[in-house]
Amino acid sequence: MTSDDTTLDASAPWLEVDALIDDPRTRIVVCCGSGGVGKTTTAAALGVRAAERGRKVVVLTIDPARRLAQSMGISELDNVPRRVKGVDEAAGGELHAMMLDMKRTFDEIVEGHADAERARAILENPFYQSLSAGFAGTQEYMAMEKLGQLRAGDAWDLIVVDTPPSRSALDFLDAPKRLGSFLDGKFIRVLMAPAKVGGRAGMKFLNVGMSMMTGTLSKLMGGQLLRDVQTFVAAMDTMFGGFRTRADATYRLLQAPGTAFLVVAAPERDALREAAYFVERLAAEQMPLAGLVLNRVHGSGAAQLSAERALAAAEALMEDLADHAPEDAEEAPQGPDDDPNSPSGEAGSPLAENLGPDGIVDLADGKTGSRTPGGPSPAAAEHAASPSAPAAQLAAGLLRLHAERMQVLARERRTRDRFTALHPEVPVAEVAALPGDVHDLAGLRAIGDRLTLRPGATDD
């Protein structure tokens, strides 16, 4: 490859997106990656393309920015899948979209696994309200809970998941284990002990048998919070095993052959370093990786013109412009108003300058515009052959812009090649950058089209 070659190296496998979303065995596609790389847009574009190719799709986003709703023409998304209008359903597909409501999902779990009285006690408990609204890992855990619910319902052919942005690898893989361990761990079991004994006997047991521990806990948590936790634990006692069981089931679902992970990244060093870590983590967890989506890749319609040649041409234009700058800019001939004492027709006057041995010389615009009876003077001919100043400056500026673009392309290619050298087995799809933001279905279709372009093909 040349230094300005921006197409995917033939040795790197190509990610066949259409084959992935058309395969009826593919039931879940998980888009993961760091923040700001286009995961939400990629997930939405995949959903639109799969639906218009005949699959019944639901896109689950955890993105609070609501960009997915806006791009799909929906006023708002919530915890219930909503049908997207404007999708071509001629092939028999449908598209639904939803945004995770973390607390509502937690409430649904409680309501679905406890009787009415116990559910009310849990939902009104202050500790539960704090836990369901913002406990570390709750969002990721509830995303996996919702995924499990959608898959168990079997109402859709394909579920596309837009995971939360994460700087600490794949938090959504860890969260079910973390929350399950918390709700089913030794700490909770210790807090459950007095509730299981019951009433004053329980408090006596707690005060006598664990006075040191609870004294420390009371200092750390506060007495009221400790009592809220104990009440919550007592109400949730029968549900702890369910959390762990569902967490394990969701984890196995993510490892199943019908699931495909797509790591989304930008062609930048930090984003691809994060993507490489994601790839390694998925392999360690035995999660089925489909490939890498390299988003917002820059291109050029004149890639054959290198940055070096463009800069050299720009410099040559400016040098040529300087060489042919009008000399009268420095030594302009005097006019009659400049020297009113200069007599007409005398040497040095405009009339004298317009006189030649073979007739009148027309000096319309200084020496460069002079003419002789036989046509333009040599100086005028030379000036006419050179570009005008505004055109030369514009061309030089465009050449410099092109050189900057080619330097960006070369840097992106080197960054991408480092990733493919480390992970040559990972299929890659490159998505050319659009000139503007994606804000409607047409933009999502354009992204879908670019997702499926073969390396070296052009987007007409």
Side-chain angles (χ1 to χ4, degrees):
M1 295 190 299
T2 65
S3 61
D4 295 308
D5 183 12
T6 58
T7 60
L8 192 61
D9 193 323
S11 63
W14 174 55
L15 174 59
E16 301 188 45
V17 173
D18 279 345
L20 176 69
I21 61 177
D22 288 347
D23 189 346
R25 294 171 297 181
T26 303
R27 302 299 302 276
I28 299 172
V29 173
V30 181
C31 297
C32 58
S34 56
V37 296
K39 287 194 314 297
T40 300
T41 302
T42 300
L46 286 170
V48 172
R49 190 169 186 87
E52 295 188 336
R53 293 174 71 87
R55 303 202 69 180
K56 193 172 181 180
V57 186
V58 60
V59 178
L60 168 63
T61 185
I62 299 95
D63 183 6
R66 302 184 183 274
R67 289 171 296 173
L68 179 64
Q70 296 169 0
S71 64
M72 292 184 170
I74 301 175
S75 58
E76 62 178 272
L77 293 178
D78 53 23
N79 219 37
V80 178
R82 298 184 180 276
R83 193 160 182 169
V84 178
K85 298 178 180 179
V87 174
D88 185 358
E89 300 179 351
E94 297 176 9
L95 178 62
H96 296 73
M98 62 183 296
M99 186 173 72
L100 178 74
D101 184 330
M102 179 177 63
K103 188 178 188 312
R104 183 60 221 154
T105 301
F106 211 152
D107 292 349
E108 289 172 358
I109 296 171
V110 172
E111 293 165 350
H113 295 84
D115 58 63
E117 184 177 352
R118 188 182 292 262
R120 185 175 62 256
I122 295 171
L123 296 177
E124 293 175 355
N125 183 273
F127 178 73
Y128 168 78
Q129 292 173 359
S130 298
L131 174 70
S132 61
F135 185 79
T138 305
Q139 184 184 49
E140 290 82 1
Y141 179 87
M142 291 306 148
M144 295 301 99
E145 279 278 358
K146 181 57 68 175
L147 171 60
Q149 293 175 12
L150 293 172
R151 184 66 182 86
D154 208 29
W156 290 275
D157 298 336
L158 180 64
I159 303 167
V160 182
V161 182
D162 166 35
T163 60
S166 171
R167 288 295 302 168
S168 55
L170 302 173
D171 281 349
F172 70 94
L173 291 180
D174 297 325
K177 290 182 179 179
R178 282 205 308 269
L179 192 59
S181 297
F182 169 74
L183 294 174
D184 199 18
K186 293 181 180 179
F187 174 70
I188 291 293
R189 294 302 175 187
V190 167
L191 294 175
M192 282 178 60
K196 282 189 171 182
V197 175
R200 292 183 178 180
M203 291 308 295
K204 183 178 180 181
F205 169 78
L206 183 64
N207 290 333
V208 174
M210 296 182 235
S211 58
M212 185 177 297
M213 177 180 291
T214 54
T216 303
L217 288 174
S218 295
K219 290 179 181 178
L220 292 174
M221 302 172 63
Q224 183 59 49
L225 177 57
L226 182 57
R227 286 189 291 274
D228 290 339
V229 172
Q230 290 168 346
T231 304
F232 164 76
V233 169
M236 291 281 287
D237 183 22
T238 59
M239 297 180 60
F240 288 142
F243 277 101
R244 173 59 62 87
T245 300
R246 284 191 303 277
D248 292 342
T250 302
Y251 199 79
R252 289 194 300 272
L253 180 64
L254 292 174
Q255 292 175 317
T259 300
F261 281 83
L262 289 176
V263 176
V264 184
E268 300 165 1
R269 184 177 59 183
D270 290 344
L272 277 172
R273 184 186 297 117
E274 190 92 352
Y277 188 76
F278 279 31
V279 167
E280 293 162 6
R281 174 69 192 280
L282 288 169
E285 299 286 342
Q286 298 181 336
M287 300 290 176
L289 174 65
L292 171 76
V293 173
L294 201 55
N295 206 12
R296 301 172 188 154
V297 177
H298 291 91
S300 172
Q304 68 277 10
L305 178 59
S306 69
E308 293 77 9
R309 289 172 56 199
L311 287 174
E315 187 174 346
L317 270 175
M318 296 310 294
E319 288 178 355
D320 184 65
L321 188 63
D323 290 343
H324 293 91
E327 295 177 7
D328 58 324
E330 298 179 359
E331 298 180 4
Q334 283 188 332
D337 294 334
D338 297 328
D339 188 6
N341 297 321
S342 176
S344 279
E346 294 183 5
S349 72
L351 256 170
E353 288 186 5
N354 285 337
L355 294 177
D358 299 319
I360 296 175
V361 177
D362 182 13
L363 212 129
D365 213 3
K367 295 182 180 179
T368 56
S370 63
R371 294 183 60 86
T372 65
S377 68
E382 183 180 2
H383 180 73
S386 64
S388 65
Q393 291 169 350
L394 176 61
L398 291 173
L399 285 166
R400 291 193 184 101
L401 285 175
H402 175 76
E404 290 177 8
R405 169 58 64 91
M406 294 307 296
Q407 289 166 351
V408 169
L409 265 60
R411 183 172 64 250
E412 289 182 356
R413 182 190 61 80
R414 289 192 300 269
T415 305
R416 180 206 65 204
D417 288 350
R418 281 195 291 269
F419 175 88
T420 56
L422 288 172
H423 301 282
E425 76 289 352
V426 177
V428 181
E430 293 190 352
V431 182
L434 288 174
D437 292 334
V438 175
H439 56 271
D440 54 19
L441 287 175
L444 294 176
R445 289 191 188 97
I447 293 293
D449 290 340
R450 293 174 182 224
L451 263 169
T452 58
L453 280 177
R454 287 184 174 273
T458 56
D459 184 14
D460 299 327

PDB file of all heavy atoms in Angstrom, residues 36 46 81-82 125 128 150 169 186 194 197 262 264 286 309 373 379 387 405 438:
ATOM      1  N   GLY A  36     -18.859   8.279  22.791  1.00  0.00           N
ATOM      2  CA  GLY A  36     -18.596   9.223  21.714  1.00  0.00           C
ATOM      3  C   GLY A  36     -18.107   8.630  20.413  1.00  0.00           C
ATOM      4  O   GLY A  36     -17.612   9.366  19.555  1.00  0.00           O
ATOM      5  N   LEU A  46     -28.324  -0.288  12.253  1.00  0.00           N
ATOM      6  CA  LEU A  46     -28.470  -1.738  12.096  1.00  0.00           C
ATOM      7  C   LEU A  46     -29.932  -2.142  12.225  1.00  0.00           C
ATOM      8  O   LEU A  46     -30.424  -3.002  11.477  1.00  0.00           O
ATOM      9  CB  LEU A  46     -27.640  -2.467  13.155  1.00  0.00           C
ATOM     10  CG  LEU A  46     -26.126  -2.476  12.951  1.00  0.00           C
ATOM     11  CD1 LEU A  46     -25.435  -3.011  14.202  1.00  0.00           C
ATOM     12  CD2 LEU A  46     -25.746  -3.326  11.747  1.00  0.00           C
ATOM     13  N   PRO A  81     -41.383  -0.952  24.275  1.00  0.00           N
ATOM     14  CA  PRO A  81     -41.021  -0.819  22.855  1.00  0.00           C
ATOM     15  C   PRO A  81     -42.095  -0.071  22.070  1.00  0.00           C
ATOM     16  O   PRO A  81     -43.292  -0.349  22.210  1.00  0.00           O
ATOM     17  CB  PRO A  81     -40.898  -2.276  22.387  1.00  0.00           C
ATOM     18  CG  PRO A  81     -40.640  -3.067  23.624  1.00  0.00           C
ATOM     19  CD  PRO A  81     -41.395  -2.364  24.713  1.00  0.00           C
ATOM     20  N   ARG A  82     -41.678   0.889  21.259  1.00  0.00           N
ATOM     21  CA  ARG A  82     -42.598   1.670  20.435  1.00  0.00           C
ATOM     22  C   ARG A  82     -42.246   1.469  18.965  1.00  0.00           C
ATOM     23  O   ARG A  82     -41.084   1.496  18.587  1.00  0.00           O
ATOM     24  CB  ARG A  82     -42.517   3.159  20.799  1.00  0.00           C
ATOM     25  CG  ARG A  82     -42.915   3.441  22.242  1.00  0.00           C
ATOM     26  CD  ARG A  82     -42.922   4.925  22.544  1.00  0.00           C
ATOM     27  NE  ARG A  82     -43.290   5.178  23.917  1.00  0.00           N
ATOM     28  CZ  ARG A  82     -44.546   5.259  24.359  1.00  0.00           C
ATOM     29  NH1 ARG A  82     -45.549   5.104  23.503  1.00  0.00           N
ATOM     30  NH2 ARG A  82     -44.800   5.502  25.644  1.00  0.00           N
ATOM     31  N   ASN A 125     -39.623   1.173  50.465  1.00  0.00           N
ATOM     32  CA  ASN A 125     -38.471   1.202  51.349  1.00  0.00           C
ATOM     33  C   ASN A 125     -37.439   2.218  50.871  1.00  0.00           C
ATOM     34  O   ASN A 125     -37.053   2.217  49.697  1.00  0.00           O
ATOM     35  CB  ASN A 125     -37.850  -0.197  51.394  1.00  0.00           C
ATOM     36  CG  ASN A 125     -36.677  -0.269  52.352  1.00  0.00           C
ATOM     37  OD1 ASN A 125     -35.559   0.016  51.969  1.00  0.00           O
ATOM     38  ND2 ASN A 125     -36.925  -0.660  53.592  1.00  0.00           N
ATOM     39  N   TYR A 128     -34.337   0.713  49.175  1.00  0.00           N
ATOM     40  CA  TYR A 128     -34.634   0.204  47.836  1.00  0.00           C
ATOM     41  C   TYR A 128     -34.719   1.347  46.831  1.00  0.00           C
ATOM     42  O   TYR A 128     -34.213   1.249  45.709  1.00  0.00           O
ATOM     43  CB  TYR A 128     -35.950  -0.585  47.817  1.00  0.00           C
ATOM     44  CG  TYR A 128     -36.418  -0.859  46.405  1.00  0.00           C
ATOM     45  CD1 TYR A 128     -35.839  -1.873  45.649  1.00  0.00           C
ATOM     46  CD2 TYR A 128     -37.396  -0.062  45.807  1.00  0.00           C
ATOM     47  CE1 TYR A 128     -36.229  -2.098  44.334  1.00  0.00           C
ATOM     48  CE2 TYR A 128     -37.783  -0.274  44.505  1.00  0.00           C
ATOM     49  CZ  TYR A 128     -37.194  -1.300  43.771  1.00  0.00           C
ATOM     50  OH  TYR A 128     -37.570  -1.507  42.456  1.00  0.00           O
ATOM     51  N   LEU A 150     -36.836  -9.335  27.030  1.00  0.00           N
ATOM     52  CA  LEU A 150     -37.157  -9.246  25.605  1.00  0.00           C
ATOM     53  C   LEU A 150     -36.915 -10.572  24.891  1.00  0.00           C
ATOM     54  O   LEU A 150     -37.717 -11.004  24.058  1.00  0.00           O
ATOM     55  CB  LEU A 150     -36.314  -8.139  24.955  1.00  0.00           C
ATOM     56  CG  LEU A 150     -36.619  -6.701  25.391  1.00  0.00           C
ATOM     57  CD1 LEU A 150     -35.572  -5.746  24.805  1.00  0.00           C
ATOM     58  CD2 LEU A 150     -38.014  -6.284  24.965  1.00  0.00           C
ATOM     59  N   ALA A 169     -13.718  -0.957  30.602  1.00  0.00           N
ATOM     60  CA  ALA A 169     -13.986  -2.171  29.821  1.00  0.00           C
ATOM     61  C   ALA A 169     -15.480  -2.398  29.710  1.00  0.00           C
ATOM     62  O   ALA A 169     -16.220  -1.488  29.375  1.00  0.00           O
ATOM     63  CB  ALA A 169     -13.259  -3.360  30.411  1.00  0.00           C
ATOM     64  N   LYS A 186     -22.470 -12.255  51.675  1.00  0.00           N
ATOM     65  CA  LYS A 186     -22.352 -12.413  53.122  1.00  0.00           C
ATOM     66  C   LYS A 186     -22.824 -11.176  53.862  1.00  0.00           C
ATOM     67  O   LYS A 186     -23.439 -11.268  54.929  1.00  0.00           O
ATOM     68  CB  LYS A 186     -20.890 -12.712  53.482  1.00  0.00           C
ATOM     69  CG  LYS A 186     -20.403 -14.071  52.985  1.00  0.00           C
ATOM     70  CD  LYS A 186     -18.954 -14.311  53.389  1.00  0.00           C
ATOM     71  CE  LYS A 186     -18.473 -15.669  52.901  1.00  0.00           C
ATOM     72  NZ  LYS A 186     -17.059 -15.907  53.255  1.00  0.00           N
ATOM     73  N   PRO A 194     -30.847 -10.766  62.035  1.00  0.00           N
ATOM     74  CA  PRO A 194     -31.817 -10.333  63.038  1.00  0.00           C
ATOM     75  C   PRO A 194     -33.246 -10.391  62.550  1.00  0.00           C
ATOM     76  O   PRO A 194     -34.158 -10.703  63.293  1.00  0.00           O
ATOM     77  CB  PRO A 194     -31.392  -8.901  63.373  1.00  0.00           C
ATOM     78  CG  PRO A 194     -30.591  -8.463  62.198  1.00  0.00           C
ATOM     79  CD  PRO A 194     -29.893  -9.690  61.694  1.00  0.00           C
ATOM     80  N   VAL A 197     -34.488 -13.916  62.870  1.00  0.00           N
ATOM     81  CA  VAL A 197     -34.815 -14.291  64.239  1.00  0.00           C
ATOM     82  C   VAL A 197     -36.122 -13.629  64.657  1.00  0.00           C
ATOM     83  O   VAL A 197     -36.979 -14.230  65.293  1.00  0.00           O
ATOM     84  CB  VAL A 197     -33.667 -13.900  65.185  1.00  0.00           C
ATOM     85  CG1 VAL A 197     -34.054 -14.169  66.636  1.00  0.00           C
ATOM     86  CG2 VAL A 197     -32.416 -14.661  64.802  1.00  0.00           C
ATOM     87  N   LEU A 262     -20.605  -6.458  18.518  1.00  0.00           N
ATOM     88  CA  LEU A 262     -19.906  -5.546  17.614  1.00  0.00           C
ATOM     89  C   LEU A 262     -19.216  -4.482  18.453  1.00  0.00           C
ATOM     90  O   LEU A 262     -19.875  -3.772  19.218  1.00  0.00           O
ATOM     91  CB  LEU A 262     -20.887  -4.881  16.635  1.00  0.00           C
ATOM     92  CG  LEU A 262     -21.497  -5.753  15.541  1.00  0.00           C
ATOM     93  CD1 LEU A 262     -22.514  -4.951  14.734  1.00  0.00           C
ATOM     94  CD2 LEU A 262     -20.419  -6.309  14.633  1.00  0.00           C
ATOM     95  N   VAL A 264     -17.605  -0.994  18.532  1.00  0.00           N
ATOM     96  CA  VAL A 264     -17.641   0.229  17.726  1.00  0.00           C
ATOM     97  C   VAL A 264     -16.525   1.155  18.198  1.00  0.00           C
ATOM     98  O   VAL A 264     -16.339   1.351  19.403  1.00  0.00           O
ATOM     99  CB  VAL A 264     -19.009   0.929  17.840  1.00  0.00           C
ATOM    100  CG1 VAL A 264     -19.069   2.154  16.928  1.00  0.00           C
ATOM    101  CG2 VAL A 264     -20.143  -0.040  17.498  1.00  0.00           C
ATOM    102  N   GLN A 286     -15.352 -15.502  26.630  1.00  0.00           N
ATOM    103  CA  GLN A 286     -15.945 -16.421  25.657  1.00  0.00           C
ATOM    104  C   GLN A 286     -17.248 -15.873  25.090  1.00  0.00           C
ATOM    105  O   GLN A 286     -18.225 -16.594  24.887  1.00  0.00           O
ATOM    106  CB  GLN A 286     -16.164 -17.807  26.276  1.00  0.00           C
ATOM    107  CG  GLN A 286     -14.871 -18.471  26.721  1.00  0.00           C
ATOM    108  CD  GLN A 286     -15.094 -19.848  27.319  1.00  0.00           C
ATOM    109  OE1 GLN A 286     -16.177 -20.169  27.817  1.00  0.00           O
ATOM    110  NE2 GLN A 286     -14.070 -20.685  27.259  1.00  0.00           N
ATOM    111  N   ARG A 309       2.717  16.167  -2.667  1.00  0.00           N
ATOM    112  CA  ARG A 309       2.553  16.790  -3.983  1.00  0.00           C
ATOM    113  C   ARG A 309       1.613  17.979  -3.908  1.00  0.00           C
ATOM    114  O   ARG A 309       1.819  19.000  -4.583  1.00  0.00           O
ATOM    115  CB  ARG A 309       2.022  15.757  -4.977  1.00  0.00           C
ATOM    116  CG  ARG A 309       3.038  14.680  -5.362  1.00  0.00           C
ATOM    117  CD  ARG A 309       2.380  13.598  -6.201  1.00  0.00           C
ATOM    118  NE  ARG A 309       1.738  14.160  -7.382  1.00  0.00           N
ATOM    119  CZ  ARG A 309       0.794  13.530  -8.089  1.00  0.00           C
ATOM    120  NH1 ARG A 309       0.391  12.328  -7.713  1.00  0.00           N
ATOM    121  NH2 ARG A 309       0.273  14.085  -9.159  1.00  0.00           N
ATOM    122  N   PRO A 373       1.401  47.942 -31.851  1.00  0.00           N
ATOM    123  CA  PRO A 373       0.570  47.757 -33.048  1.00  0.00           C
ATOM    124  C   PRO A 373       0.458  46.295 -33.459  1.00  0.00           C
ATOM    125  O   PRO A 373      -0.516  45.886 -34.076  1.00  0.00           O
ATOM    126  CB  PRO A 373       1.309  48.581 -34.105  1.00  0.00           C
ATOM    127  CG  PRO A 373       2.019  49.631 -33.319  1.00  0.00           C
ATOM    128  CD  PRO A 373       2.432  48.969 -32.049  1.00  0.00           C
ATOM    129  N   ALA A 379       5.515  41.496 -22.063  1.00  0.00           N
ATOM    130  CA  ALA A 379       5.169  41.513 -20.640  1.00  0.00           C
ATOM    131  C   ALA A 379       3.699  41.179 -20.440  1.00  0.00           C
ATOM    132  O   ALA A 379       3.318  40.441 -19.538  1.00  0.00           O
ATOM    133  CB  ALA A 379       5.495  42.875 -20.037  1.00  0.00           C
ATOM    134  N   PRO A 387      -1.767  32.626 -13.742  1.00  0.00           N
ATOM    135  CA  PRO A 387      -3.100  32.739 -13.141  1.00  0.00           C
ATOM    136  C   PRO A 387      -3.263  34.068 -12.434  1.00  0.00           C
ATOM    137  O   PRO A 387      -2.309  34.669 -11.952  1.00  0.00           O
ATOM    138  CB  PRO A 387      -3.137  31.571 -12.161  1.00  0.00           C
ATOM    139  CG  PRO A 387      -1.712  31.305 -11.822  1.00  0.00           C
ATOM    140  CD  PRO A 387      -0.942  31.617 -13.071  1.00  0.00           C
ATOM    141  N   ARG A 405      -6.166  16.935   4.716  1.00  0.00           N
ATOM    142  CA  ARG A 405      -7.064  15.775   4.698  1.00  0.00           C
ATOM    143  C   ARG A 405      -6.273  14.489   4.452  1.00  0.00           C
ATOM    144  O   ARG A 405      -6.524  13.459   5.102  1.00  0.00           O
ATOM    145  CB  ARG A 405      -8.126  15.977   3.614  1.00  0.00           C
ATOM    146  CG  ARG A 405      -8.974  14.724   3.308  1.00  0.00           C
ATOM    147  CD  ARG A 405      -9.686  14.205   4.541  1.00  0.00           C
ATOM    148  NE  ARG A 405     -10.651  15.123   5.073  1.00  0.00           N
ATOM    149  CZ  ARG A 405     -11.939  15.137   4.712  1.00  0.00           C
ATOM    150  NH1 ARG A 405     -12.381  14.280   3.819  1.00  0.00           N
ATOM    151  NH2 ARG A 405     -12.769  15.988   5.260  1.00  0.00           N
ATOM    152  N   VAL A 438     -26.403  12.750  12.013  1.00  0.00           N
ATOM    153  CA  VAL A 438     -27.545  11.911  11.655  1.00  0.00           C
ATOM    154  C   VAL A 438     -28.705  12.285  12.560  1.00  0.00           C
ATOM    155  O   VAL A 438     -28.592  12.229  13.788  1.00  0.00           O
ATOM    156  CB  VAL A 438     -27.199  10.415  11.817  1.00  0.00           C
ATOM    157  CG1 VAL A 438     -28.421   9.555  11.571  1.00  0.00           C
ATOM    158  CG2 VAL A 438     -26.084  10.027  10.871  1.00  0.00           C
TER     159      VAL A 438
END
